[in-house]
Amino acid sequence: ISSLSLLLVTKSSLSILSEVGIEPHIAAGVDPNPPQYMRLRQSQMTICPFVYSLRLLYEGLSQVAGPLLYIRGGEGYGFANWLERACGITGSQIDGGHSVTNLLVELAYKLGCRTICLVGMDLGYTNNTLYSSHVQHALGDDESILIQDEERYIQAENNQGKIILTESKWITEADWIARFFKKHPRMKLINSTIGGLKIDGIQVVPLDEVVRECPAKDLYGQVDRL
């Protein structure tokens, strides 16, 4: 495992990391739903580069304090292609899968990361909640509440062999990660989300063990030059 560490996070993780004084190297957001505004507003002190796509809620994007990095691809909208042509935006595209997490996995790979560790990838309702208690407190929005109507959820196996509740969108995300891993056999993909949805073919290793094997080295200077 390389001694260089790059921390890429989703917009949902920014608030809780800010509370404990951790500044990620790169953050990302792609969702158009209204809660993105409050999540990004709560993370205004974060000044890391922020990767976004055209789908991201504009009001949320306006709250980002750090430099913005527009990313091409994965939109599915003709308007995005038209806008890029009109503005002269060129360069390679990133498929991005079905979520911001899928996007970050592909982005990390394109940045040269060949060992990728997934943290906080429950992809289900662990203890019947969408987020941990710490993240719920930081977000404070309706998406963090306890689930109530179980008819819309799917039972699936987690990486400990137990049954958890999940949704079809998360099963799709997990399937994309599994297929991406198969397409890139030189990549080492580790899942450190103990108890999260099982992702076929992905090794499960507790985070403390991963940290012991991979001592961190500051990369903020290198990221600033991207």
Side-chain angles (χ1 to χ4, degrees):
I1 298 179
S2 170
S3 61
L4 301 180
S5 297
L6 189 65
L7 178 59
L8 284 70
V9 304
T10 67
K11 77 284 177 188
S12 301
S13 307
L14 286 174
S15 296
I16 187 63
L17 291 179
S18 298
E19 284 192 359
V20 296
I22 296 177
E23 179 77 15
H25 297 104
I26 296 174
V30 299
D31 296 331
N33 46 311
Q36 307 312 312
Y37 170 77
M38 185 56 65
R39 294 178 182 181
L40 291 170
R41 181 180 180 182
Q42 291 170 330
S43 307
Q44 282 187 332
M45 297 305 294
T46 300
I47 59 174
C48 67
F50 188 88
V51 173
Y52 73 99
S53 73
L54 200 61
R55 292 181 66 247
L56 182 65
L57 185 76
Y58 169 76
E59 291 81 359
L61 185 64
S62 67
Q63 300 301 307
V64 176
L68 300 176
L69 301 175
Y70 175 74
I71 197 164
R72 301 185 65 217
E75 294 293 344
Y77 301 113
F79 175 73
N81 296 329
W82 175 87
L83 181 65
E84 290 172 358
R85 288 196 302 268
C87 296
I89 300 174
T90 60
S92 61
Q93 296 189 4
I94 291 184
D95 170 62
H98 306 279
S99 68
V100 66
T101 303
N102 290 164
L103 169 67
L104 286 177
V105 169
E106 185 171 353
L107 179 61
Y109 185 81
K110 287 186 177 294
L111 288 175
C113 299
R114 292 300 177 264
T115 298
I116 300 175
C117 179
L118 306 175
V119 182
M121 282 284 293
D122 290 79
L123 297 176
Y125 293 93
T126 303
N127 298 322
N128 286 342
T129 61
L130 179 56
Y131 298 111
S132 70
S133 58
H134 300 291
V135 177
Q136 289 180 45
H137 171 73
L139 295 179
D141 60 40
D142 292 339
E143 289 192 51
S144 66
I145 62 175
L146 291 167
I147 63 173
Q148 298 174 2
D149 181 12
E150 296 189 5
E151 292 184 1
R152 58 176 285 196
Y153 306 113
I154 301 170
Q155 289 188 344
E157 183 179 335
N158 71 4
N159 52 36
Q160 293 178 311
K162 300 178 181 179
I163 298 299
I164 61 171
L165 294 178
T166 184
E167 294 189 39
S168 59
K169 61 180 180 181
W170 292 324
I171 293 175
T172 301
E173 285 184 43
D175 179 65
W176 183 94
I177 293 173
R179 287 187 287 108
F180 188 84
F181 179 59
K182 289 181 180 179
K183 286 172 58 179
H184 303 283
R186 295 180 60 187
M187 177 179 66
K188 183 174 184 179
L189 191 55
I190 302 168
N191 188 1
S192 289
T193 312
I194 306 302
L197 183 67
K198 181 180 178 180
I199 305 177
D200 290 339
I202 307 304
Q203 182 183 12
V204 179
V205 182
L207 183 59
D208 57 348
E209 293 184 19
V210 176
V211 171
R212 283 198 299 269
E213 293 183 23
C214 184
K217 180 178 179 180
D218 178 61
L219 282 184
Y220 287 100
Q222 288 88 328
V223 172
D224 287 342
R225 291 194 292 272
L226 289 177

